[in-house]
Amino acid sequence: MNCYIEGTTDFIFGPSTAFFEGCTIHSKSNSYVTAASTPEDIEVGYVFKNCKLTAAPGIDKVYLGRPWRPYAATVFINCELGKNICPAGWNNWRNPENEKTARYAEYGGTGEGADAASRVKWAKQLTKKEVAKYDDLSFVFKLCSNWIPAEN
């Protein structure tokens, strides 16, 4: 929560479920922010809520993510997306089969890089009802029944 993360390529990656809220995600190169490898039987992978995606000067071609493995799951909710974000938003990692299994979604994006009309057709724009479940951390972390978030 309220963190700063920067990197170059796939700097947020792997099979984890992770919740990023109020974070600044800063790209240092034209590349990809996420490379999720969410297992097929895990519903939630990466969740970015109320985050701001920025980039170093001259960086103007950043994708929100590409699937490291089939069934990659990444969601951006109410995030401010800078002009560095590619209109397509997502990349299939040169494998059209990933378009059938990747679970990529957005809701309520703002900023120059948030134009939903230009996104790849295989990524989803969530409805208000669909996005509401991400407010419940027991949904996000359902496999961690004993997990208790720290108080600020």
Side-chain angles (χ1 to χ4, degrees):
M1 181 176 266
N2 300 321
C3 60
Y4 177 86
I5 302 167
E6 71 176 17
T8 55
T9 300
D10 304 334
F11 56 99
I12 300 172
F13 69 97
S16 300
T17 294
F19 190 84
F20 303 87
E21 186 170 8
C23 299
T24 297
I25 312 298
H26 187 75
S27 295
K28 295 169 61 176
S29 68
N30 284 326
S31 198
Y32 309 87
V33 174
T34 68
S37 60
T38 317
E40 180 179 3
D41 62 331
I42 303 297
E43 189 170 356
V44 180
Y46 300 135
V47 178
F48 296 87
K49 187 174 180 187
N50 302 319
C51 294
K52 183 175 183 175
L53 279 71
T54 63
I59 304 306
D60 60 359
K61 191 174 181 183
V62 175
Y63 289 90
L64 297 172
R66 61 181 177 171
W68 187 8
R69 301 279 185 270
Y71 303 100
T74 302
V75 178
F76 285 85
I77 301 168
N78 297 326
C79 292
E80 182 181 334
L81 307 177
K83 64 182 179 181
N84 56 299
I85 301 301
C86 292
W90 308 91
N91 184 283
N92 69 11
W93 207 335
R94 297 178 312 279
N95 183 353
E97 288 299 306
N98 284 331
E99 297 176 15
K100 298 174 185 175
T101 60
R103 297 170 287 169
Y104 289 151
E106 295 175 65
Y107 177 84
T110 61
E112 294 180 74
D115 182 12
S118 299
R119 293 295 190 250
V120 294
K121 300 302 179 213
W122 46 274
K124 185 172 186 174
Q125 293 297 316
L126 297 172
T127 65
K128 191 173 189 176
K129 182 179 179 181
E130 290 169 326
V131 81
K133 64 186 174 184
Y134 292 95
D135 289 332
D136 180 2
L137 292 181
S138 66
F139 164 74
V140 174
F141 295 104
K142 69 175 97 185
L143 294 180
C144 302
S145 60
N146 60 351
W147 181 76
I148 302 170
E151 294 295 323
N152 287 340

